[in-house]
Amino acid sequence: MKHSSNGGLVYSTESGRMCPECRQPVAACACSAKATVIGDGVVRVSRQSKGRGGKTVTLVKGVALDPLALALLGKQLRTACGSGGTVKDGVIEVQGDHCELVMDALTKLGHAPKRA
């Protein structure tokens, strides 16, 4: 484990992701950075397979929602596509090539998605 010159934790495997504001584990974070909105409001739907062992993943970026609402939207999109996926760092990942299904579902939910 290394420490930077200003005394902050650089890397640790014991507590996982750290909050950049209060430098506590994200699960125990009590600052306002936890409830911030991630995304610029321009919803982009793309397909990616690089770095994933040849597996195709549909990505949804730029949704301007708080993390809890983003997780709920991810759940709705995965259910609509009938596949698995996750939400990481403000990006919804749906397993498989489901760009058209995801765009239709986002349109029905009131978003204006763009194909990227």
Side-chain angles (χ1 to χ4, degrees):
M1 184 165 59
K2 298 179 181 179
H3 291 279
S4 68
S5 61
N6 59 358
L9 183 64
V10 176
Y11 178 78
S12 175
T13 57
E14 108 183 20
S15 59
R17 294 180 190 228
M18 305 296 280
C19 174
E21 298 292 321
C22 63
R23 297 187 179 190
Q24 297 294 319
V26 172
C29 176
C31 66
S32 62
K34 192 175 194 178
T36 60
V37 174
I38 301 172
D40 58 357
V42 180
V43 181
R44 295 177 185 88
V45 179
S46 63
R47 182 176 59 97
Q48 184 183 39
S49 61
K50 288 187 177 181
R52 300 179 190 275
K55 306 285 185 183
T56 303
V57 175
T58 303
L59 301 174
V60 180
K61 300 178 184 177
V63 182
L65 295 173
D66 60 284
L68 188 62
L70 194 65
L72 181 63
L73 178 63
K75 172 74 174 166
Q76 291 173 341
L77 293 177
R78 290 191 311 267
T79 302
C81 295
S83 65
T86 187
V87 177
K88 291 182 183 175
D89 299 324
V91 178
I92 300 172
E93 299 179 0
V94 180
Q95 295 174 353
D97 186 6
H98 300 289
C99 290
E100 295 303 320
L101 285 172
V102 168
M103 289 184 67
D104 291 341
L106 286 170
T107 304
K108 288 178 185 174
L109 293 171
H111 299 281
K114 292 182 180 181
R115 181 73 189 262

